[in-house]
């Protein structure tokens, strides 16, 4: 394993506002990209030529990568399936990866990662880190998750890396990342009922207080993605988020319609 105590070059100061995340195949790619300082996209949707037109000196373009599970439509799903899974995320029908398996980790670092970065992305958006959270049956995999994150920075030291959630690991991962993204701050999505709702005042304040504390402790940019579908809920979310002074983006749970998303500083 990579020694988590090893230091890397200092994190970059990047422009993160306005930002957006979109997993659809954006048709007017160049036009959309020019609107955002930071844009997170689904890398499998674009060729290297498309990335070249999307990536400009004025923006930061990040490719999505899932570290804790794999969608069944991924090109590398059969490779992961051969190694065996350890359960499934029923919300997305995505099997959990056995990160304790060295071959599984190698597929991520030596196959999936280069497949994204050789297209010309500025960096990566690291998802599903919460799959090894302390409250899960996979918490024992945290050292391997850390090894992967450290391995990403070791292989691509100049890449911009944004960590999604996984706050329980921030004391170990902060030296390898450039920003943190948090979902479900002002609102929340219920997968069983398939509906969106505003968080209770108490729950909202608890989340915000934790974010502020960690932001001060690690001196990293924090980005917020909230989920809402109706105009009224989007407005309520904006009223909350506008008071925080942090970059945010509001969209549907699928993040599949950037044209209807709302980004701070772009309203």
């Amino acid at each position: 394993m990579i020694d988590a105590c090893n230091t890397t070059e200092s994190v970059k100061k990047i422009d993160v506002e306005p930002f957006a995340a979109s997993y659809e195949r954006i048709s007017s790619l160049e036009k959309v990209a020019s609107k955002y300082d930071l844009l997170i996209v689904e890398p499998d949707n674009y060729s290297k030529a498309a990335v070249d037109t999307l990536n400009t000196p004025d923006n930061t373009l990040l490719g999505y990568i899932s570290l804790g599970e794999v969608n069944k439509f991924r090109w590398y799903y059969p490779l992961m399936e051969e190694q065996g899974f350890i359960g499934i995320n029923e919300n997305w029908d995505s099997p959990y990866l056995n990160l304790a398996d060295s071959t599984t980790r190698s597929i991520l670092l030596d196959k999936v990662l280069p497949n994204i970065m050789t297209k010309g992305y500025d960096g990566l958006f690291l998802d599903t880190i919460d799959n090894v959270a302390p409250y899960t049956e996979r918490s024992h995999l945290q050292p391997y998750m850390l090894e992967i994150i450290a391995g990403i920075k070791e292989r691509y030291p100049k890449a911009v890396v944004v960590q999604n959630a996984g706050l329980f690991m921030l004391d170990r991962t902060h030296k390898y990342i450039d920003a943190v993204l948090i979902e479900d701050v002002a609102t929340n999505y219920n997968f069983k009922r398939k509906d969106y709702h505003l968080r209770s005042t108490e729950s909202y304040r608890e989340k915000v207080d934790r974010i502020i504390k960690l932001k001060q402790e690690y001196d990293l940019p924090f980005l917020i993605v909230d989920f809402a579908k109706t105009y009224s809920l989007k407005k309520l979310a904006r009223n909350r988020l506008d008071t925080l002074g942090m970059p945010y983006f509001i969209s549907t749970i699928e993040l599949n319609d950037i044209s209807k998303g709302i980004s701070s500083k772009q309203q």
Side-chain angles (χ1 to χ4, degrees):
M1 270 190 225
I2 295 170
D3 185 355
C5 294
N6 287 344
T7 58
T8 64
E9 64 179 49
S10 59
V11 296
K12 304 173 184 64
K13 297 298 181 182
I14 55 173
D15 292 327
V16 295
E17 190 175 26
F19 87 94
S22 179
Y23 301 148
E24 64 185 307
R25 184 188 293 271
I26 304 172
S27 55
S28 53
L29 202 55
E30 191 171 358
K31 181 179 178 181
V32 170
S34 65
K35 296 180 179 180
Y36 300 100
D37 286 342
L38 178 71
L39 181 59
I40 300 166
V41 299
E42 168 52 63
D44 290 347
N45 284 342
Y46 308 107
S47 64
K48 186 180 186 306
V51 172
D52 287 342
T53 64
L54 181 62
N55 201 344
T56 74
D58 299 321
N59 71 9
T60 299
L61 184 66
L62 303 184
Y64 172 98
I65 183 171
S66 174
L67 302 184
E69 61 192 59
V70 59
N71 186 281
K72 294 179 180 179
F73 298 101
R74 293 287 178 190
W75 62 266
Y76 55 91
Y77 178 87
L79 301 177
M80 293 299 193
E81 188 176 29
E82 289 181 6
Q83 304 311 309
F85 300 124
I86 53 173
I88 191 167
N89 181 340
E90 295 182 356
N91 290 334
W92 297 106
D93 193 29
S94 299
Y96 294 122
L97 299 177
N98 180 15
L99 300 183
D101 174 63
S102 61
T103 302
T104 295
R105 300 196 303 276
S106 177
I107 292 170
L108 284 172
L109 289 171
D110 302 325
K111 296 182 183 294
V112 181
L113 181 60
N115 181 270
I116 297 172
M117 295 303 292
T118 54
K119 290 182 177 181
Y121 287 95
D122 293 310
L124 299 157
F125 174 66
L126 313 183
D127 198 18
T128 62
I129 295 173
D130 272 351
N131 285 351
V132 298
Y135 54 81
T136 71
E137 298 177 351
R138 299 168 298 281
S139 61
H140 63 287
L141 298 177
Q142 287 183 28
Y144 302 106
M145 179 67 78
L146 181 62
E147 178 181 343
I148 293 169
I149 296 172
I152 289 171
K153 204 62 175 179
E154 180 182 56
R155 286 164 170 78
Y156 297 94
K158 295 183 179 180
V160 173
V161 178
V162 175
Q163 171 178 320
N164 187 24
L167 299 183
F168 56 90
M169 290 190 67
L170 204 52
D171 61 325
R172 290 158 284 173
T173 62
H174 71 276
K175 66 186 72 175
Y176 305 118
I177 64 174
D178 302 282
V180 184
L181 188 146
I182 304 294
E183 298 174 338
D184 295 317
V185 176
T187 65
N188 200 3
Y189 180 79
N190 187 298
F191 279 91
K192 289 185 178 180
R193 298 196 307 264
K194 300 185 183 304
D195 65 11
Y196 304 80
H197 61 273
L198 195 69
R199 278 191 179 273
S200 69
T201 302
E202 181 182 3
S203 175
Y204 167 68
R205 285 310 323 172
E206 285 179 356
K207 273 211 129 178
V208 169
D209 288 347
R210 189 180 185 197
I211 291 171
I212 292 174
K213 180 180 178 181
L214 290 171
K215 189 175 186 298
Q216 293 172 342
E217 183 174 357
Y218 295 109
D219 191 28
L220 287 168
F222 271 69
L223 295 72
I224 296 172
V225 168
D226 255 308
F227 303 112
K229 199 165 189 177
T230 64
Y231 172 80
S232 58
L233 185 56
K234 288 179 181 179
K235 184 177 180 180
L236 290 171
R238 284 173 58 182
N239 289 342
R240 282 182 165 181
L241 298 177
D242 280 339
T243 68
L244 302 181
M246 299 182 198
Y248 66 79
F249 182 69
I250 304 171
S251 186
T252 58
I253 188 67
E254 298 88 359
L255 291 172
N256 62 358
D257 192 347
I258 196 170
S259 65
K260 295 181 180 178
I262 297 175
S263 178
S264 54
K265 286 195 176 180
Q266 201 183 59
Q267 304 171 30

